[in-house]
Amino acid sequence: MPARRGTKNQANHGSGQSSKKSSALKVTSASRQPKTVPAAPKESSKANPPATTSAELQQRLLDIFSTALNARLTPSLPSLLQEIKGHLFARDFEKAFGKAEYLDIYALRWSPGRALAYLDIFQSLSEHILRIRIDGNSVEDAGQEQNAAEPRSGDDEALGTASSSLRVTCLGGGAGAEVIALSGFLSHLNDGQSSTELPSTARLFQDLDLTTVDLADWSDVLDNLKTHIVEPPRLSVYASAARKAAATPLLAASSLSCSLGTRDILSLSAVELRAIVRGAQLITLMFTLNELYTSSVAGTTKFLMTLGAVASPGTLLLVVDSPGTYSTVAMGGREEKKYPMQWLLDRTLLEQKERNEDDGRSWRWEKLVTEESKWFRIPEGLRYPIELENMRYQMHLYRLL
Protein backbone atom coordinates (compact mmCIF):
# COMPACT_ATOMS: atom_id res chain seq x y z
CA MET A 1 0.00 0.00 0.00
CA PRO A 2 2.38 2.71 -1.19
CA ALA A 3 2.10 6.03 0.56
CA ARG A 4 2.33 7.75 -2.79
CA ARG A 5 -1.24 6.80 -3.48
CA GLY A 6 -2.83 8.75 -0.70
CA THR A 7 -1.36 7.55 2.60
CA LYS A 8 0.79 10.55 3.43
CA ASN A 9 4.53 10.50 3.62
CA GLN A 10 4.41 8.31 6.71
CA ALA A 11 8.00 7.11 6.46
CA ASN A 12 9.19 10.58 7.45
CA HIS A 13 7.68 10.47 10.93
CA GLY A 14 10.32 11.40 13.43
CA SER A 15 12.69 12.77 10.81
CA GLY A 16 12.20 16.06 9.06
CA GLN A 17 8.78 17.47 9.60
CA SER A 18 8.55 16.84 13.33
CA SER A 19 10.87 17.23 16.31
CA LYS A 20 12.60 14.00 17.24
CA LYS A 21 11.25 12.20 20.29
CA SER A 22 12.02 9.04 22.16
CA SER A 23 10.83 5.95 20.34
CA ALA A 24 9.33 4.59 23.55
CA LEU A 25 5.99 6.28 24.08
CA LYS A 26 4.04 6.13 27.28
CA VAL A 27 0.29 6.11 27.67
CA THR A 28 -0.31 8.89 30.14
CA SER A 29 -3.28 10.36 31.94
CA ALA A 30 -5.31 12.90 30.01
CA SER A 31 -4.33 15.60 32.48
CA ARG A 32 -0.61 15.30 31.85
CA GLN A 33 0.87 18.29 30.06
CA PRO A 34 2.68 17.30 26.86
CA LYS A 35 6.43 17.76 26.76
CA THR A 36 7.99 20.34 24.50
CA VAL A 37 11.30 20.37 22.67
CA PRO A 38 14.01 23.04 22.46
CA ALA A 39 13.33 25.83 20.01
CA ALA A 40 14.88 25.53 16.58
CA PRO A 41 16.74 28.45 14.96
CA LYS A 42 14.48 30.94 13.28
CA GLU A 43 14.24 30.54 9.54
CA SER A 44 13.38 33.16 6.94
CA SER A 45 10.12 32.80 5.06
CA LYS A 46 7.30 34.78 3.51
CA ALA A 47 5.12 34.59 6.56
CA ASN A 48 1.51 35.65 6.77
CA PRO A 49 0.16 37.41 9.85
CA PRO A 50 0.05 35.03 12.83
CA ALA A 51 -3.07 33.00 13.40
CA THR A 52 -5.29 33.77 16.37
CA THR A 53 -6.42 30.29 17.30
CA SER A 54 -7.51 30.02 20.91
CA ALA A 55 -6.10 27.43 23.29
CA GLU A 56 -9.71 26.45 24.06
CA LEU A 57 -10.31 25.48 20.43
CA GLN A 58 -7.01 23.62 20.19
CA GLN A 59 -7.88 21.63 23.31
CA ARG A 60 -11.32 20.90 21.88
CA LEU A 61 -9.76 19.33 18.78
CA LEU A 62 -7.43 17.19 20.89
CA ASP A 63 -10.38 16.09 23.03
CA ILE A 64 -12.22 14.89 19.93
CA PHE A 65 -9.32 12.60 19.02
CA SER A 66 -8.83 11.27 22.56
CA THR A 67 -12.55 10.66 23.08
CA ALA A 68 -13.24 9.14 19.66
CA LEU A 69 -10.24 6.80 19.83
CA ASN A 70 -10.23 6.21 23.57
CA ALA A 71 -10.66 2.44 23.12
CA ARG A 72 -7.08 2.25 21.79
CA LEU A 73 -5.58 3.76 24.96
CA THR A 74 -4.56 0.40 26.42
CA PRO A 75 -1.30 -0.98 27.86
CA SER A 76 -0.60 -2.60 24.48
CA LEU A 77 -0.50 0.78 22.70
CA PRO A 78 3.29 1.34 22.92
CA SER A 79 4.08 -2.06 21.39
CA LEU A 80 1.51 -1.58 18.63
CA LEU A 81 2.99 1.82 17.86
CA GLN A 82 6.39 0.22 17.48
CA GLU A 83 4.93 -2.32 15.06
CA ILE A 84 3.47 0.47 12.94
CA LYS A 85 6.72 2.44 13.04
CA GLY A 86 8.63 -0.64 11.95
CA HIS A 87 6.37 -1.14 8.95
CA LEU A 88 6.61 2.53 8.04
CA PHE A 89 10.39 2.50 8.32
CA ALA A 90 10.49 -0.53 6.03
CA ARG A 91 8.07 1.27 3.69
CA ASP A 92 5.73 -1.69 3.95
CA PHE A 93 2.57 0.39 3.80
CA GLU A 94 0.35 -2.58 3.07
CA LYS A 95 1.14 -3.92 6.54
CA ALA A 96 1.27 -0.51 8.24
CA PHE A 97 -2.29 0.24 7.13
CA GLY A 98 -3.62 -3.26 6.72
CA LYS A 99 -5.42 -3.56 10.06
CA ALA A 100 -8.28 -1.51 11.49
CA GLU A 101 -6.48 -1.21 14.83
CA TYR A 102 -3.40 0.19 13.05
CA LEU A 103 -5.51 2.86 11.38
CA ASP A 104 -7.08 3.85 14.71
CA ILE A 105 -3.69 3.98 16.42
CA TYR A 106 -2.12 5.97 13.60
CA ALA A 107 -4.93 8.53 13.85
CA LEU A 108 -4.64 8.59 17.65
CA ARG A 109 -0.87 9.10 17.59
CA TRP A 110 -0.01 11.27 14.57
CA SER A 111 -3.16 13.03 13.40
CA PRO A 112 -3.80 15.27 16.46
CA GLY A 113 -0.53 17.20 16.22
CA ARG A 114 -0.97 17.59 12.52
CA ALA A 115 -4.54 18.77 12.98
CA LEU A 116 -3.34 21.59 15.24
CA ALA A 117 -0.67 22.54 12.70
CA TYR A 118 -3.15 22.42 9.82
CA LEU A 119 -5.59 24.59 11.75
CA ASP A 120 -2.80 27.12 12.23
CA ILE A 121 -2.06 27.00 8.48
CA PHE A 122 -5.70 27.46 7.49
CA GLN A 123 -5.95 30.39 9.87
CA SER A 124 -2.88 32.03 8.35
CA LEU A 125 -4.43 31.62 4.88
CA SER A 126 -7.95 32.64 5.90
CA GLU A 127 -7.96 35.83 3.83
CA HIS A 128 -7.29 33.82 0.66
CA ILE A 129 -9.87 31.19 1.57
CA LEU A 130 -12.52 33.71 2.55
CA ARG A 131 -11.89 35.68 -0.63
CA ILE A 132 -13.88 32.95 -2.37
CA ARG A 133 -17.01 34.33 -0.71
CA ILE A 134 -16.13 37.93 -1.53
CA ASP A 135 -15.60 37.03 -5.19
CA GLY A 136 -19.10 35.55 -5.44
CA ASN A 137 -18.22 31.85 -5.63
CA SER A 138 -16.49 32.19 -9.00
CA VAL A 139 -15.14 28.67 -8.61
CA GLU A 140 -18.65 27.25 -8.42
CA ASP A 141 -19.81 29.37 -11.35
CA ALA A 142 -17.03 27.91 -13.47
CA GLY A 143 -17.79 24.44 -12.12
CA GLN A 144 -21.39 24.71 -13.25
CA GLU A 145 -20.41 25.85 -16.73
CA GLN A 146 -17.73 23.18 -17.05
CA ASN A 147 -19.98 20.36 -15.82
CA ALA A 148 -23.42 21.47 -16.95
CA ALA A 149 -24.07 18.10 -18.54
CA GLU A 150 -23.09 16.20 -15.36
CA PRO A 151 -25.03 17.50 -12.34
CA ARG A 152 -23.46 16.64 -9.02
CA SER A 153 -25.74 14.38 -7.02
CA GLY A 154 -26.43 15.18 -3.40
CA ASP A 155 -25.73 18.92 -3.60
CA ASP A 156 -28.10 20.96 -1.47
CA GLU A 157 -27.36 23.93 -3.69
CA ALA A 158 -26.73 24.02 -7.41
CA LEU A 159 -23.24 24.92 -8.52
CA GLY A 160 -23.09 28.56 -9.49
CA THR A 161 -25.38 29.83 -6.77
CA ALA A 162 -24.07 31.81 -3.82
CA SER A 163 -23.30 28.77 -1.75
CA SER A 164 -22.50 29.00 1.95
CA SER A 165 -20.50 25.75 1.83
CA LEU A 166 -16.74 25.57 1.98
CA ARG A 167 -16.00 22.72 -0.43
CA VAL A 168 -12.65 21.03 0.03
CA THR A 169 -11.04 18.01 -1.62
CA CYS A 170 -8.24 16.44 0.46
CA LEU A 171 -6.01 14.20 -1.65
CA GLY A 172 -4.39 11.84 0.84
CA GLY A 173 -6.54 13.04 3.72
CA GLY A 174 -7.92 9.86 5.22
CA ALA A 175 -6.25 9.87 8.64
CA GLY A 176 -8.48 12.59 10.07
CA ALA A 177 -6.18 15.57 10.55
CA GLU A 178 -7.73 17.55 7.71
CA VAL A 179 -11.37 17.01 8.68
CA ILE A 180 -10.69 17.98 12.30
CA ALA A 181 -8.61 21.03 11.32
CA LEU A 182 -11.15 22.26 8.77
CA SER A 183 -14.02 21.73 11.21
CA GLY A 184 -12.12 23.75 13.78
CA PHE A 185 -11.37 26.43 11.17
CA LEU A 186 -15.05 26.76 10.25
CA SER A 187 -16.08 26.84 13.90
CA HIS A 188 -13.44 29.49 14.54
CA LEU A 189 -14.79 31.66 11.72
CA ASN A 190 -18.39 31.38 12.78
CA ASP A 191 -17.51 32.21 16.38
CA GLY A 192 -16.27 35.56 15.12
CA GLN A 193 -12.66 34.91 16.10
CA SER A 194 -11.11 35.58 12.69
CA SER A 195 -8.67 38.48 12.58
CA THR A 196 -9.22 39.19 8.88
CA GLU A 197 -10.60 42.55 7.81
CA LEU A 198 -13.02 41.13 5.24
CA PRO A 199 -16.67 42.20 5.58
CA SER A 200 -18.37 39.98 8.13
CA THR A 201 -21.51 39.68 6.02
CA ALA A 202 -19.61 38.00 3.20
CA ARG A 203 -16.84 36.11 4.86
CA LEU A 204 -18.58 33.29 6.70
CA PHE A 205 -19.02 29.78 5.41
CA GLN A 206 -21.83 27.98 7.20
CA ASP A 207 -21.15 24.42 6.04
CA LEU A 208 -18.17 22.18 5.30
CA ASP A 209 -18.40 19.81 2.33
CA LEU A 210 -15.31 17.62 2.48
CA THR A 211 -14.16 14.92 0.07
CA THR A 212 -11.12 12.84 0.98
CA VAL A 213 -9.23 10.43 -1.24
CA ASP A 214 -6.86 7.81 0.13
CA LEU A 215 -5.69 4.34 -0.76
CA ALA A 216 -6.33 2.95 2.75
CA ASP A 217 -9.92 2.56 3.92
CA TRP A 218 -10.14 5.15 6.69
CA SER A 219 -13.96 5.19 6.67
CA ASP A 220 -14.36 3.90 10.23
CA VAL A 221 -11.87 6.45 11.58
CA LEU A 222 -13.52 9.33 9.72
CA ASP A 223 -17.03 8.27 10.73
CA ASN A 224 -15.93 8.05 14.37
CA LEU A 225 -14.32 11.48 14.31
CA LYS A 226 -17.29 13.01 12.51
CA THR A 227 -19.65 11.66 15.21
CA HIS A 228 -17.66 13.48 17.87
CA ILE A 229 -17.43 16.67 15.80
CA VAL A 230 -21.22 16.99 15.64
CA GLU A 231 -21.94 15.88 19.21
CA PRO A 232 -21.52 18.05 22.34
CA PRO A 233 -18.33 17.34 24.31
CA ARG A 234 -18.66 14.79 27.08
CA LEU A 235 -18.56 16.42 30.48
CA SER A 236 -18.20 15.15 34.01
CA VAL A 237 -21.42 14.50 35.88
CA TYR A 238 -20.11 17.10 38.32
CA ALA A 239 -19.83 19.84 35.66
CA SER A 240 -21.70 23.03 36.47
CA ALA A 241 -25.04 23.80 34.86
CA ALA A 242 -23.49 26.76 33.06
CA ARG A 243 -20.75 24.60 31.59
CA LYS A 244 -23.26 21.97 30.48
CA ALA A 245 -25.37 24.65 28.83
CA ALA A 246 -22.32 25.95 26.96
CA ALA A 247 -21.32 22.47 25.73
CA THR A 248 -22.26 22.64 22.07
CA PRO A 249 -20.98 20.61 19.10
CA LEU A 250 -17.98 21.87 17.20
CA LEU A 251 -20.23 21.87 14.10
CA ALA A 252 -23.89 21.06 13.68
CA ALA A 253 -24.60 17.73 12.01
CA SER A 254 -26.29 19.57 9.15
CA SER A 255 -23.14 21.64 8.60
CA LEU A 256 -20.71 18.79 7.94
CA SER A 257 -20.59 16.47 4.95
CA CYS A 258 -17.59 14.15 4.76
CA SER A 259 -17.03 11.42 2.19
CA LEU A 260 -14.08 9.10 1.50
CA GLY A 261 -12.98 7.74 -1.83
CA THR A 262 -10.62 4.76 -1.58
CA ARG A 263 -8.53 5.26 -4.69
CA ASP A 264 -4.97 5.32 -6.03
CA ILE A 265 -4.39 9.00 -6.79
CA LEU A 266 -1.92 8.37 -9.61
CA SER A 267 -4.24 5.93 -11.35
CA LEU A 268 -7.13 8.37 -11.65
CA SER A 269 -8.26 9.24 -15.17
CA ALA A 270 -9.08 12.83 -16.12
CA VAL A 271 -12.79 12.02 -15.92
CA GLU A 272 -12.42 10.48 -12.45
CA LEU A 273 -10.27 13.35 -11.16
CA ARG A 274 -12.72 15.91 -12.51
CA ALA A 275 -15.56 14.21 -10.63
CA ILE A 276 -13.52 14.30 -7.40
CA VAL A 277 -12.49 17.97 -7.55
CA ARG A 278 -15.66 19.30 -9.18
CA GLY A 279 -16.88 22.36 -7.32
CA ALA A 280 -13.98 22.28 -4.83
CA GLN A 281 -12.84 25.72 -3.78
CA LEU A 282 -9.78 24.30 -2.04
CA ILE A 283 -7.71 21.20 -2.88
CA THR A 284 -5.10 20.00 -0.38
CA LEU A 285 -2.06 17.74 -0.63
CA MET A 286 -0.83 17.46 2.95
CA PHE A 287 2.34 15.37 3.37
CA THR A 288 1.41 13.48 0.22
CA LEU A 289 3.08 15.11 -2.79
CA ASN A 290 6.67 14.13 -1.98
CA GLU A 291 5.63 10.48 -1.75
CA LEU A 292 3.91 10.80 -5.10
CA TYR A 293 7.10 12.18 -6.63
CA THR A 294 9.21 9.51 -4.96
CA SER A 295 7.05 6.84 -6.51
CA SER A 296 6.85 8.32 -10.01
CA VAL A 297 7.99 11.74 -11.20
CA ALA A 298 6.35 11.23 -14.58
CA GLY A 299 3.10 9.97 -13.05
CA THR A 300 2.96 12.83 -10.55
CA THR A 301 3.70 15.43 -13.21
CA LYS A 302 0.89 14.02 -15.34
CA PHE A 303 -1.44 14.04 -12.33
CA LEU A 304 -0.68 17.72 -11.59
CA MET A 305 -1.18 18.70 -15.21
CA THR A 306 -4.49 16.85 -15.30
CA LEU A 307 -5.51 18.59 -12.08
CA GLY A 308 -4.92 21.97 -13.70
CA ALA A 309 -6.97 20.92 -16.72
CA VAL A 310 -10.02 19.65 -14.81
CA ALA A 311 -10.23 22.01 -11.81
CA SER A 312 -12.23 25.24 -12.08
CA PRO A 313 -10.60 28.68 -12.40
CA GLY A 314 -10.20 30.26 -8.98
CA THR A 315 -9.58 26.94 -7.21
CA LEU A 316 -6.93 27.08 -4.48
CA LEU A 317 -4.30 24.34 -4.20
CA LEU A 318 -2.54 23.95 -0.85
CA VAL A 319 0.60 21.81 -0.65
CA VAL A 320 2.20 21.04 2.73
CA ASP A 321 5.15 18.68 3.10
CA SER A 322 8.46 18.09 4.83
CA PRO A 323 10.99 20.88 4.18
CA GLY A 324 14.46 20.96 2.67
CA THR A 325 16.39 17.76 2.06
CA TYR A 326 13.51 15.67 3.41
CA SER A 327 11.58 16.53 0.25
CA THR A 328 13.99 15.91 -2.61
CA VAL A 329 13.40 13.72 -5.63
CA ALA A 330 16.07 11.67 -7.41
CA MET A 331 16.02 11.79 -11.22
CA GLY A 332 18.30 10.95 -14.10
CA GLY A 333 19.12 7.22 -14.01
CA ARG A 334 22.90 6.65 -13.87
CA GLU A 335 23.61 10.38 -13.69
CA GLU A 336 21.16 10.69 -10.85
CA LYS A 337 20.53 14.12 -9.43
CA LYS A 338 18.28 15.23 -6.62
CA TYR A 339 15.77 18.02 -7.13
CA PRO A 340 13.72 19.83 -4.47
CA MET A 341 10.05 18.93 -4.50
CA GLN A 342 9.18 22.64 -4.58
CA TRP A 343 11.23 23.14 -7.78
CA LEU A 344 9.44 20.29 -9.53
CA LEU A 345 6.07 21.55 -8.35
CA ASP A 346 6.68 25.12 -9.50
CA ARG A 347 8.07 23.93 -12.81
CA THR A 348 4.86 22.03 -13.50
CA LEU A 349 2.33 24.53 -12.19
CA LEU A 350 3.93 27.87 -13.03
CA GLU A 351 6.10 27.38 -16.11
CA GLN A 352 3.84 25.24 -18.25
CA LYS A 353 0.71 26.43 -19.95
CA GLU A 354 -1.43 23.59 -21.24
CA ARG A 355 -4.71 23.57 -23.16
CA ASN A 356 -7.68 21.65 -21.84
CA GLU A 357 -8.71 19.42 -24.73
CA ASP A 358 -12.33 19.30 -23.54
CA ASP A 359 -13.12 23.02 -23.67
CA GLY A 360 -10.03 24.60 -25.23
CA ARG A 361 -9.25 26.52 -22.02
CA SER A 362 -5.58 27.12 -21.26
CA TRP A 363 -4.58 26.84 -17.63
CA ARG A 364 -1.84 28.01 -15.33
CA TRP A 365 -1.51 28.42 -11.60
CA GLU A 366 -0.25 31.47 -9.75
CA LYS A 367 1.56 31.19 -6.43
CA LEU A 368 -0.03 33.22 -3.66
CA VAL A 369 1.96 32.23 -0.57
CA THR A 370 5.12 30.24 0.06
CA GLU A 371 6.94 29.11 3.21
CA GLU A 372 10.13 27.19 2.56
CA SER A 373 10.57 26.08 6.16
CA LYS A 374 8.46 26.78 9.21
CA TRP A 375 7.86 25.28 12.65
CA PHE A 376 4.56 24.66 14.33
CA ARG A 377 5.08 24.14 18.06
CA ILE A 378 2.60 22.43 20.35
CA PRO A 379 1.49 25.13 22.80
CA GLU A 380 2.19 24.53 26.46
CA GLY A 381 -0.73 23.65 28.68
CA LEU A 382 -2.64 21.47 26.23
CA ARG A 383 -3.65 18.03 27.50
CA TYR A 384 -3.43 14.80 25.53
CA PRO A 385 -2.84 11.21 26.69
CA ILE A 386 0.09 10.71 24.28
CA GLU A 387 3.06 12.97 23.83
CA LEU A 388 2.69 15.14 20.72
CA GLU A 389 5.41 16.49 18.46
CA ASN A 390 6.23 19.86 17.01
CA MET A 391 6.08 19.92 13.21
CA ARG A 392 8.43 21.47 10.67
CA TYR A 393 7.02 21.92 7.19
CA GLN A 394 7.05 23.76 3.88
CA MET A 395 3.84 25.25 2.54
CA HIS A 396 2.75 26.60 -0.85
CA LEU A 397 -0.61 28.02 -1.89
CA TYR A 398 -1.59 28.36 -5.56
CA ARG A 399 -4.65 29.63 -7.40
CA LEU A 400 -5.78 28.37 -10.78
CA LEU A 401 -6.10 31.14 -13.36
Side-chain angles (χ1 to χ4, degrees):
M1 186 178 296
R4 70 173 182 89
R5 298 175 176 176
T7 316
K8 311 206 170 267
N9 210 15
Q10 296 96 340
N12 284 339
H13 286 296
S15 61
Q17 77 270 20
S18 56
S19 313
K20 190 171 183 180
K21 293 287 187 178
S22 168
S23 60
L25 295 171
K26 297 180 179 179
V27 181
T28 62
S29 65
S31 62
R32 180 174 175 178
Q33 180 174 317
K35 296 180 180 179
T36 58
V37 296
K42 293 183 179 180
E43 303 174 53
S44 61
S45 61
K46 299 178 182 178
N48 285 328
T52 57
T53 309
S54 68
E56 181 181 0
L57 177 58
Q58 291 173 322
Q59 185 61 59
R60 179 72 181 276
L61 302 191
L62 294 182
D63 290 345
I64 289 175
F65 279 106
S66 61
T67 303
L69 301 168
N70 181 66
R72 299 301 181 184
L73 290 170
T74 66
S76 64
L77 178 60
S79 63
L80 290 171
L81 278 169
Q82 291 307 309
E83 290 178 20
I84 297 172
K85 284 186 174 183
H87 295 318
L88 293 174
F89 184 79
R91 301 184 66 81
D92 190 343
F93 303 114
E94 186 171 352
K95 288 184 178 178
F97 300 99
K99 297 181 180 179
E101 65 177 343
Y102 282 179
L103 298 179
D104 283 350
I105 291 170
Y106 182 94
L108 177 69
R109 170 64 182 84
W110 285 288
S111 293
R114 284 189 171 180
L116 296 186
Y118 294 169
L119 174 62
D120 194 67
I121 291 171
F122 293 134
Q123 282 292 78
S124 72
L125 301 176
S126 59
E127 184 173 353
H128 296 286
I129 298 172
L130 295 173
R131 181 62 59 184
I132 297 167
R133 292 284 283 151
I134 300 298
D135 292 343
N137 294 288
S138 60
V139 174
E140 296 183 76
D141 292 338
Q144 182 187 43
E145 180 179 344
Q146 181 177 348
N147 301 286
E150 301 176 26
R152 182 179 177 180
S153 62
D155 279 350
D156 55 355
E157 295 182 270
L159 293 177
T161 61
S163 171
S164 63
S165 294
L166 174 59
R167 289 175 172 155
V168 186
T169 296
C170 300
L171 301 174
E178 286 91 333
V179 65
I180 293 295
L182 286 163
S183 296
F185 175 62
L186 185 62
S187 174
H188 183 91
L189 293 179
N190 291 334
D191 284 345
Q193 300 179 42
S194 177
S195 61
T196 64
E197 298 180 356
L198 298 177
S200 60
T201 57
R203 76 184 184 186
L204 298 184
F205 289 101
Q206 296 178 5
D207 308 312
L208 175 61
D209 185 349
L210 181 66
T211 299
T212 61
V213 181
D214 209 303
L215 186 62
D217 184 2
W218 295 91
S219 55
D220 288 345
V221 171
L222 290 175
D223 288 345
N224 196 1
L225 292 174
K226 179 182 175 181
T227 295
H228 288 80
I229 290 171
V230 302
E231 289 184 350
R234 298 177 182 178
L235 301 177
S236 167
V237 294
Y238 303 106
S240 66
R243 189 179 179 191
K244 290 180 179 178
T248 59
L250 186 65
L251 292 179
S254 59
S255 296
L256 177 60
S257 172
C258 179
S259 62
L260 170 69
T262 307
R263 301 298 303 274
D264 177 339
I265 292 174
L266 293 188
S267 72
L268 294 171
S269 67
V271 172
E272 291 170 327
L273 186 57
R274 176 184 288 113
I276 289 171
V277 304
R278 177 170 39 195
Q281 298 143 325
L282 172 65
I283 300 170
T284 67
L285 284 162
M286 315 290 259
F287 288 98
T288 297
L289 185 61
N290 189 55
E291 284 295 329
L292 296 176
Y293 273 127
T294 300
S295 175
S296 172
V297 174
T300 303
T301 301
K302 179 181 178 182
F303 157 73
L304 291 170
M305 294 175 69
T306 303
L307 184 63
V310 302
S312 300
T315 299
L316 299 177
L317 173 64
L318 175 61
V319 177
V320 175
D321 223 303
S322 301
T325 57
Y326 292 102
S327 287
T328 57
V329 182
M331 298 173 57
R334 293 184 178 180
E335 300 296 327
E336 184 175 273
K337 295 183 179 180
K338 290 186 176 181
Y339 297 88
M341 182 201 77
Q342 179 187 348
W343 181 84
L344 292 172
L345 180 62
D346 284 350
R347 184 170 180 269
T348 301
L349 299 187
L350 305 180
E351 297 179 15
Q352 299 191 36
K353 189 173 183 180
E354 297 294 329
R355 185 167 296 278
N356 185 340
E357 295 181 359
D358 291 340
D359 58 16
R361 175 176 63 85
S362 297
W363 62 265
R364 192 190 311 181
W365 299 83
E366 65 172 338
K367 182 179 280 190
L368 301 177
V369 180
T370 188
E371 298 274 8
E372 294 184 2
S373 182
K374 189 173 182 178
W375 279 94
F376 172 77
R377 304 187 185 284
I378 303 295
E380 294 185 2
L382 296 179
R383 304 178 305 280
Y384 194 69
I386 301 176
E387 189 174 49
L388 301 176
E389 296 174 340
N390 299 330
M391 190 180 89
R392 183 171 170 244
Y393 63 92
Q394 62 174 298
M395 181 270 290
H396 313 286
L397 181 68
Y398 303 84
R399 179 168 57 206
L400 185 62
L401 299 176

